[in-house]
Amino acid sequence: MDPHRWLELRRFRGLHESGAMSLREIAKETGLNRRTVAKYLSGETPVAPPRRAPNGQPYRRMVDEVAPLIDAMLRAEILLKGAVIHERLVAEYGFTGSYQRIKMYLQEARPRIAEELGISPSELAGLHRRFEVVPGAQAQVDWGGATRGRVYE
């Protein structure tokens, strides 16, 4: 399924879950088979559109090569931060992929490993903590528009 059709189908997920539309109605609206709609609207599908190589096989992700290592690290310490995992993979195993790829894999792997270990989602909630500071104590800068040779005031 191409990414545009996948995104269009995902728009209907809330309507189906709320009972506002049936699978048959969604299939008619999108022009897809009812079984395809059921497959992609169930909670068991990935959060990204399916991709296929020109030969019809799924693309092999760079992170797939180190996935067993990441899983082992998570089994040893479920709250291990993605940056630490990425640093270890680069230093110890010569991983050349980006931190972003590791982070995306962790979004899928951490809940799965936690379930295997019998850890509840509430125990994982402490991984990301929000903090606030008094006004004026910190500043943020967006360097996205900065280029070499330009001066910003």
Side-chain angles (χ1 to χ4, degrees), residues 64-93:
D64 288 342
E65 297 172 10
V66 293
L69 294 169
I70 296 171
D71 291 353
M73 289 179 195
L74 289 176
R75 284 186 184 95
E77 188 178 343
I78 191 71
L79 296 180
L80 193 60
K81 295 187 182 294
V84 173
I85 292 173
H86 181 257
E87 288 173 8
R88 287 182 185 173
L89 291 172
V90 169
E92 299 171 16
Y93 301 98

PDB file of all heavy atoms in Angstrom, residues 64-93:
ATOM      1  N   ASP A  64      17.780  -3.079  11.885  1.00  0.00           N
ATOM      2  CA  ASP A  64      17.478  -4.506  12.009  1.00  0.00           C
ATOM      3  C   ASP A  64      18.722  -5.332  12.326  1.00  0.00           C
ATOM      4  O   ASP A  64      18.636  -6.369  12.973  1.00  0.00           O
ATOM      5  CB  ASP A  64      16.817  -5.041  10.733  1.00  0.00           C
ATOM      6  CG  ASP A  64      15.390  -4.544  10.563  1.00  0.00           C
ATOM      7  OD1 ASP A  64      14.801  -4.092  11.566  1.00  0.00           O
ATOM      8  OD2 ASP A  64      14.878  -4.597   9.433  1.00  0.00           O
ATOM      9  N   GLU A  65      19.878  -4.861  11.871  1.00  0.00           N
ATOM     10  CA  GLU A  65      21.124  -5.583  12.124  1.00  0.00           C
ATOM     11  C   GLU A  65      21.495  -5.581  13.603  1.00  0.00           C
ATOM     12  O   GLU A  65      22.120  -6.519  14.087  1.00  0.00           O
ATOM     13  CB  GLU A  65      22.258  -4.969  11.305  1.00  0.00           C
ATOM     14  CG  GLU A  65      22.044  -5.066   9.811  1.00  0.00           C
ATOM     15  CD  GLU A  65      23.074  -4.282   9.024  1.00  0.00           C
ATOM     16  OE1 GLU A  65      24.069  -3.810   9.612  1.00  0.00           O
ATOM     17  OE2 GLU A  65      22.874  -4.136   7.807  1.00  0.00           O
ATOM     18  N   VAL A  66      21.138  -4.509  14.310  1.00  0.00           N
ATOM     19  CA  VAL A  66      21.513  -4.388  15.724  1.00  0.00           C
ATOM     20  C   VAL A  66      20.310  -4.555  16.654  1.00  0.00           C
ATOM     21  O   VAL A  66      20.440  -4.396  17.867  1.00  0.00           O
ATOM     22  CB  VAL A  66      22.221  -3.038  15.991  1.00  0.00           C
ATOM     23  CG1 VAL A  66      23.560  -2.982  15.296  1.00  0.00           C
ATOM     24  CG2 VAL A  66      21.337  -1.870  15.596  1.00  0.00           C
ATOM     25  N   ALA A  67      19.153  -4.885  16.110  1.00  0.00           N
ATOM     26  CA  ALA A  67      17.941  -5.030  16.921  1.00  0.00           C
ATOM     27  C   ALA A  67      18.106  -6.041  18.054  1.00  0.00           C
ATOM     28  O   ALA A  67      17.690  -5.753  19.187  1.00  0.00           O
ATOM     29  CB  ALA A  67      16.747  -5.383  16.038  1.00  0.00           C
ATOM     30  N   PRO A  68      18.725  -7.209  17.819  1.00  0.00           N
ATOM     31  CA  PRO A  68      18.909  -8.135  18.944  1.00  0.00           C
ATOM     32  C   PRO A  68      19.780  -7.551  20.062  1.00  0.00           C
ATOM     33  O   PRO A  68      19.536  -7.807  21.240  1.00  0.00           O
ATOM     34  CB  PRO A  68      19.590  -9.352  18.301  1.00  0.00           C
ATOM     35  CG  PRO A  68      19.232  -9.281  16.861  1.00  0.00           C
ATOM     36  CD  PRO A  68      19.122  -7.832  16.542  1.00  0.00           C
ATOM     37  N   LEU A  69      20.771  -6.744  19.687  1.00  0.00           N
ATOM     38  CA  LEU A  69      21.611  -6.094  20.693  1.00  0.00           C
ATOM     39  C   LEU A  69      20.810  -5.084  21.511  1.00  0.00           C
ATOM     40  O   LEU A  69      20.922  -5.015  22.733  1.00  0.00           O
ATOM     41  CB  LEU A  69      22.797  -5.388  20.025  1.00  0.00           C
ATOM     42  CG  LEU A  69      23.822  -6.276  19.336  1.00  0.00           C
ATOM     43  CD1 LEU A  69      24.776  -5.442  18.499  1.00  0.00           C
ATOM     44  CD2 LEU A  69      24.583  -7.069  20.370  1.00  0.00           C
ATOM     45  N   ILE A  70      19.995  -4.309  20.815  1.00  0.00           N
ATOM     46  CA  ILE A  70      19.162  -3.313  21.493  1.00  0.00           C
ATOM     47  C   ILE A  70      18.187  -4.009  22.436  1.00  0.00           C
ATOM     48  O   ILE A  70      18.002  -3.587  23.582  1.00  0.00           O
ATOM     49  CB  ILE A  70      18.410  -2.434  20.472  1.00  0.00           C
ATOM     50  CG1 ILE A  70      19.401  -1.622  19.639  1.00  0.00           C
ATOM     51  CG2 ILE A  70      17.422  -1.511  21.180  1.00  0.00           C
ATOM     52  CD1 ILE A  70      18.772  -0.900  18.470  1.00  0.00           C
ATOM     53  N   ASP A  71      17.565  -5.075  21.953  1.00  0.00           N
ATOM     54  CA  ASP A  71      16.628  -5.820  22.787  1.00  0.00           C
ATOM     55  C   ASP A  71      17.315  -6.357  24.038  1.00  0.00           C
ATOM     56  O   ASP A  71      16.755  -6.311  25.140  1.00  0.00           O
ATOM     57  CB  ASP A  71      15.985  -6.961  21.995  1.00  0.00           C
ATOM     58  CG  ASP A  71      15.025  -6.476  20.914  1.00  0.00           C
ATOM     59  OD1 ASP A  71      14.749  -5.262  20.866  1.00  0.00           O
ATOM     60  OD2 ASP A  71      14.572  -7.316  20.124  1.00  0.00           O
ATOM     61  N   ALA A  72      18.537  -6.860  23.882  1.00  0.00           N
ATOM     62  CA  ALA A  72      19.283  -7.376  25.038  1.00  0.00           C
ATOM     63  C   ALA A  72      19.596  -6.256  26.031  1.00  0.00           C
ATOM     64  O   ALA A  72      19.492  -6.447  27.245  1.00  0.00           O
ATOM     65  CB  ALA A  72      20.571  -8.045  24.574  1.00  0.00           C
ATOM     66  N   MET A  73      19.966  -5.079  25.512  1.00  0.00           N
ATOM     67  CA  MET A  73      20.235  -3.935  26.388  1.00  0.00           C
ATOM     68  C   MET A  73      18.979  -3.542  27.161  1.00  0.00           C
ATOM     69  O   MET A  73      19.041  -3.235  28.350  1.00  0.00           O
ATOM     70  CB  MET A  73      20.744  -2.740  25.575  1.00  0.00           C
ATOM     71  CG  MET A  73      22.119  -2.891  25.021  1.00  0.00           C
ATOM     72  SD  MET A  73      22.555  -1.404  24.075  1.00  0.00           S
ATOM     73  CE  MET A  73      23.967  -1.973  23.169  1.00  0.00           C
ATOM     74  N   LEU A  74      17.840  -3.557  26.475  1.00  0.00           N
ATOM     75  CA  LEU A  74      16.576  -3.195  27.128  1.00  0.00           C
ATOM     76  C   LEU A  74      16.161  -4.244  28.159  1.00  0.00           C
ATOM     77  O   LEU A  74      15.600  -3.904  29.198  1.00  0.00           O
ATOM     78  CB  LEU A  74      15.466  -3.006  26.097  1.00  0.00           C
ATOM     79  CG  LEU A  74      15.563  -1.764  25.223  1.00  0.00           C
ATOM     80  CD1 LEU A  74      14.455  -1.767  24.179  1.00  0.00           C
ATOM     81  CD2 LEU A  74      15.511  -0.497  26.040  1.00  0.00           C
ATOM     82  N   ARG A  75      16.421  -5.501  27.868  1.00  0.00           N
ATOM     83  CA  ARG A  75      16.087  -6.540  28.840  1.00  0.00           C
ATOM     84  C   ARG A  75      16.914  -6.393  30.112  1.00  0.00           C
ATOM     85  O   ARG A  75      16.444  -6.678  31.198  1.00  0.00           O
ATOM     86  CB  ARG A  75      16.283  -7.920  28.228  1.00  0.00           C
ATOM     87  CG  ARG A  75      15.174  -8.307  27.283  1.00  0.00           C
ATOM     88  CD  ARG A  75      15.303  -9.738  26.779  1.00  0.00           C
ATOM     89  NE  ARG A  75      14.266 -10.023  25.814  1.00  0.00           N
ATOM     90  CZ  ARG A  75      14.412  -9.908  24.502  1.00  0.00           C
ATOM     91  NH1 ARG A  75      15.565  -9.528  23.993  1.00  0.00           N
ATOM     92  NH2 ARG A  75      13.409 -10.168  23.690  1.00  0.00           N
ATOM     93  N   ALA A  76      18.154  -5.922  29.951  1.00  0.00           N
ATOM     94  CA  ALA A  76      19.016  -5.707  31.114  1.00  0.00           C
ATOM     95  C   ALA A  76      18.619  -4.456  31.885  1.00  0.00           C
ATOM     96  O   ALA A  76      18.668  -4.425  33.113  1.00  0.00           O
ATOM     97  CB  ALA A  76      20.476  -5.605  30.682  1.00  0.00           C
ATOM     98  N   GLU A  77      18.218  -3.409  31.149  1.00  0.00           N
ATOM     99  CA  GLU A  77      17.835  -2.142  31.788  1.00  0.00           C
ATOM    100  C   GLU A  77      16.796  -1.455  30.913  1.00  0.00           C
ATOM    101  O   GLU A  77      17.128  -0.758  29.957  1.00  0.00           O
ATOM    102  CB  GLU A  77      19.067  -1.246  31.961  1.00  0.00           C
ATOM    103  CG  GLU A  77      18.799  -0.016  32.769  1.00  0.00           C
ATOM    104  CD  GLU A  77      20.061   0.820  32.970  1.00  0.00           C
ATOM    105  OE1 GLU A  77      21.174   0.310  32.774  1.00  0.00           O
ATOM    106  OE2 GLU A  77      19.902   1.989  33.327  1.00  0.00           O
ATOM    107  N   ILE A  78      15.529  -1.653  31.236  1.00  0.00           N
ATOM    108  CA  ILE A  78      14.426  -1.204  30.385  1.00  0.00           C
ATOM    109  C   ILE A  78      14.381   0.313  30.212  1.00  0.00           C
ATOM    110  O   ILE A  78      13.951   0.814  29.188  1.00  0.00           O
ATOM    111  CB  ILE A  78      13.063  -1.746  30.901  1.00  0.00           C
ATOM    112  CG1 ILE A  78      11.943  -1.524  29.877  1.00  0.00           C
ATOM    113  CG2 ILE A  78      12.703  -1.090  32.224  1.00  0.00           C
ATOM    114  CD1 ILE A  78      12.052  -2.380  28.669  1.00  0.00           C
ATOM    115  N   LEU A  79      14.857   1.070  31.199  1.00  0.00           N
ATOM    116  CA  LEU A  79      14.797   2.525  31.117  1.00  0.00           C
ATOM    117  C   LEU A  79      16.067   3.145  30.541  1.00  0.00           C
ATOM    118  O   LEU A  79      16.262   4.352  30.624  1.00  0.00           O
ATOM    119  CB  LEU A  79      14.509   3.117  32.501  1.00  0.00           C
ATOM    120  CG  LEU A  79      13.144   2.747  33.101  1.00  0.00           C
ATOM    121  CD1 LEU A  79      12.968   3.369  34.463  1.00  0.00           C
ATOM    122  CD2 LEU A  79      12.008   3.153  32.180  1.00  0.00           C
ATOM    123  N   LEU A  80      16.909   2.337  29.913  1.00  0.00           N
ATOM    124  CA  LEU A  80      18.123   2.845  29.295  1.00  0.00           C
ATOM    125  C   LEU A  80      17.755   3.838  28.199  1.00  0.00           C
ATOM    126  O   LEU A  80      16.905   3.557  27.356  1.00  0.00           O
ATOM    127  CB  LEU A  80      18.923   1.672  28.710  1.00  0.00           C
ATOM    128  CG  LEU A  80      20.351   1.935  28.297  1.00  0.00           C
ATOM    129  CD1 LEU A  80      21.186   2.400  29.487  1.00  0.00           C
ATOM    130  CD2 LEU A  80      20.955   0.673  27.718  1.00  0.00           C
ATOM    131  N   LYS A  81      18.383   4.988  28.207  1.00  0.00           N
ATOM    132  CA  LYS A  81      18.045   6.048  27.253  1.00  0.00           C
ATOM    133  C   LYS A  81      18.555   5.718  25.856  1.00  0.00           C
ATOM    134  O   LYS A  81      19.574   5.058  25.685  1.00  0.00           O
ATOM    135  CB  LYS A  81      18.631   7.370  27.720  1.00  0.00           C
ATOM    136  CG  LYS A  81      18.010   7.848  29.014  1.00  0.00           C
ATOM    137  CD  LYS A  81      18.493   9.239  29.340  1.00  0.00           C
ATOM    138  CE  LYS A  81      17.927   9.733  30.636  1.00  0.00           C
ATOM    139  NZ  LYS A  81      16.531   9.928  30.662  1.00  0.00           N
ATOM    140  N   GLY A  82      17.833   6.206  24.859  1.00  0.00           N
ATOM    141  CA  GLY A  82      18.186   5.966  23.463  1.00  0.00           C
ATOM    142  C   GLY A  82      19.557   6.510  23.103  1.00  0.00           C
ATOM    143  O   GLY A  82      20.291   5.903  22.326  1.00  0.00           O
ATOM    144  N   ALA A  83      19.926   7.665  23.661  1.00  0.00           N
ATOM    145  CA  ALA A  83      21.235   8.251  23.363  1.00  0.00           C
ATOM    146  C   ALA A  83      22.353   7.338  23.851  1.00  0.00           C
ATOM    147  O   ALA A  83      23.371   7.162  23.172  1.00  0.00           O
ATOM    148  CB  ALA A  83      21.352   9.632  24.006  1.00  0.00           C
ATOM    149  N   VAL A  84      22.176   6.733  25.007  1.00  0.00           N
ATOM    150  CA  VAL A  84      23.181   5.824  25.558  1.00  0.00           C
ATOM    151  C   VAL A  84      23.285   4.575  24.678  1.00  0.00           C
ATOM    152  O   VAL A  84      24.391   4.108  24.374  1.00  0.00           O
ATOM    153  CB  VAL A  84      22.844   5.449  27.021  1.00  0.00           C
ATOM    154  CG1 VAL A  84      23.769   4.383  27.548  1.00  0.00           C
ATOM    155  CG2 VAL A  84      22.862   6.689  27.902  1.00  0.00           C
ATOM    156  N   ILE A  85      22.154   4.048  24.266  1.00  0.00           N
ATOM    157  CA  ILE A  85      22.149   2.866  23.398  1.00  0.00           C
ATOM    158  C   ILE A  85      22.876   3.185  22.095  1.00  0.00           C
ATOM    159  O   ILE A  85      23.715   2.419  21.632  1.00  0.00           O
ATOM    160  CB  ILE A  85      20.708   2.375  23.146  1.00  0.00           C
ATOM    161  CG1 ILE A  85      20.109   1.826  24.443  1.00  0.00           C
ATOM    162  CG2 ILE A  85      20.661   1.346  22.030  1.00  0.00           C
ATOM    163  CD1 ILE A  85      18.647   1.481  24.362  1.00  0.00           C
ATOM    164  N   HIS A  86      22.559   4.336  21.502  1.00  0.00           N
ATOM    165  CA  HIS A  86      23.201   4.726  20.246  1.00  0.00           C
ATOM    166  C   HIS A  86      24.708   4.868  20.423  1.00  0.00           C
ATOM    167  O   HIS A  86      25.495   4.376  19.602  1.00  0.00           O
ATOM    168  CB  HIS A  86      22.589   6.023  19.715  1.00  0.00           C
ATOM    169  CG  HIS A  86      23.179   6.457  18.418  1.00  0.00           C
ATOM    170  ND1 HIS A  86      24.095   7.477  18.329  1.00  0.00           N
ATOM    171  CD2 HIS A  86      23.014   5.984  17.155  1.00  0.00           C
ATOM    172  CE1 HIS A  86      24.454   7.629  17.067  1.00  0.00           C
ATOM    173  NE2 HIS A  86      23.808   6.737  16.332  1.00  0.00           N
ATOM    174  N   GLU A  87      25.137   5.531  21.499  1.00  0.00           N
ATOM    175  CA  GLU A  87      26.576   5.700  21.759  1.00  0.00           C
ATOM    176  C   GLU A  87      27.275   4.345  21.902  1.00  0.00           C
ATOM    177  O   GLU A  87      28.368   4.150  21.370  1.00  0.00           O
ATOM    178  CB  GLU A  87      26.788   6.528  23.018  1.00  0.00           C
ATOM    179  CG  GLU A  87      26.455   7.992  22.845  1.00  0.00           C
ATOM    180  CD  GLU A  87      26.500   8.766  24.158  1.00  0.00           C
ATOM    181  OE1 GLU A  87      26.943   8.209  25.186  1.00  0.00           O
ATOM    182  OE2 GLU A  87      26.099   9.936  24.148  1.00  0.00           O
ATOM    183  N   ARG A  88      26.659   3.423  22.614  1.00  0.00           N
ATOM    184  CA  ARG A  88      27.256   2.096  22.790  1.00  0.00           C
ATOM    185  C   ARG A  88      27.357   1.347  21.462  1.00  0.00           C
ATOM    186  O   ARG A  88      28.357   0.689  21.178  1.00  0.00           O
ATOM    187  CB  ARG A  88      26.454   1.271  23.789  1.00  0.00           C
ATOM    188  CG  ARG A  88      26.623   1.721  25.208  1.00  0.00           C
ATOM    189  CD  ARG A  88      25.835   0.833  26.145  1.00  0.00           C
ATOM    190  NE  ARG A  88      25.895   1.337  27.507  1.00  0.00           N
ATOM    191  CZ  ARG A  88      25.190   0.842  28.513  1.00  0.00           C
ATOM    192  NH1 ARG A  88      24.380  -0.198  28.315  1.00  0.00           N
ATOM    193  NH2 ARG A  88      25.293   1.353  29.711  1.00  0.00           N
ATOM    194  N   LEU A  89      26.303   1.434  20.661  1.00  0.00           N
ATOM    195  CA  LEU A  89      26.316   0.741  19.370  1.00  0.00           C
ATOM    196  C   LEU A  89      27.405   1.304  18.461  1.00  0.00           C
ATOM    197  O   LEU A  89      28.083   0.553  17.759  1.00  0.00           O
ATOM    198  CB  LEU A  89      24.947   0.847  18.693  1.00  0.00           C
ATOM    199  CG  LEU A  89      23.811   0.072  19.344  1.00  0.00           C
ATOM    200  CD1 LEU A  89      22.486   0.424  18.684  1.00  0.00           C
ATOM    201  CD2 LEU A  89      24.069  -1.419  19.279  1.00  0.00           C
ATOM    202  N   VAL A  90      27.575   2.620  18.463  1.00  0.00           N
ATOM    203  CA  VAL A  90      28.601   3.247  17.631  1.00  0.00           C
ATOM    204  C   VAL A  90      29.995   2.861  18.128  1.00  0.00           C
ATOM    205  O   VAL A  90      30.858   2.454  17.348  1.00  0.00           O
ATOM    206  CB  VAL A  90      28.421   4.784  17.611  1.00  0.00           C
ATOM    207  CG1 VAL A  90      29.618   5.470  16.995  1.00  0.00           C
ATOM    208  CG2 VAL A  90      27.145   5.156  16.870  1.00  0.00           C
ATOM    209  N   ALA A  91      30.206   2.992  19.437  1.00  0.00           N
ATOM    210  CA  ALA A  91      31.539   2.751  20.003  1.00  0.00           C
ATOM    211  C   ALA A  91      31.931   1.278  19.990  1.00  0.00           C
ATOM    212  O   ALA A  91      33.065   0.941  19.647  1.00  0.00           O
ATOM    213  CB  ALA A  91      31.594   3.289  21.431  1.00  0.00           C
ATOM    214  N   GLU A  92      31.015   0.395  20.350  1.00  0.00           N
ATOM    215  CA  GLU A  92      31.364  -1.003  20.539  1.00  0.00           C
ATOM    216  C   GLU A  92      31.113  -1.891  19.319  1.00  0.00           C
ATOM    217  O   GLU A  92      31.741  -2.933  19.172  1.00  0.00           O
ATOM    218  CB  GLU A  92      30.606  -1.569  21.743  1.00  0.00           C
ATOM    219  CG  GLU A  92      30.948  -0.856  23.051  1.00  0.00           C
ATOM    220  CD  GLU A  92      30.046  -1.279  24.200  1.00  0.00           C
ATOM    221  OE1 GLU A  92      29.361  -2.311  24.087  1.00  0.00           O
ATOM    222  OE2 GLU A  92      30.032  -0.543  25.206  1.00  0.00           O
ATOM    223  N   TYR A  93      30.176  -1.482  18.449  1.00  0.00           N
ATOM    224  CA  TYR A  93      29.800  -2.350  17.336  1.00  0.00           C
ATOM    225  C   TYR A  93      29.949  -1.683  15.971  1.00  0.00           C
ATOM    226  O   TYR A  93      29.600  -2.282  14.955  1.00  0.00           O
ATOM    227  CB  TYR A  93      28.364  -2.853  17.514  1.00  0.00           C
ATOM    228  CG  TYR A  93      28.183  -3.628  18.799  1.00  0.00           C
ATOM    229  CD1 TYR A  93      27.663  -3.018  19.935  1.00  0.00           C
ATOM    230  CD2 TYR A  93      28.565  -4.957  18.877  1.00  0.00           C
ATOM    231  CE1 TYR A  93      27.516  -3.720  21.121  1.00  0.00           C
ATOM    232  CE2 TYR A  93      28.426  -5.677  20.053  1.00  0.00           C
ATOM    233  CZ  TYR A  93      27.901  -5.047  21.169  1.00  0.00           C
ATOM    234  OH  TYR A  93      27.760  -5.753  22.341  1.00  0.00           O
TER     235      TYR A  93
END
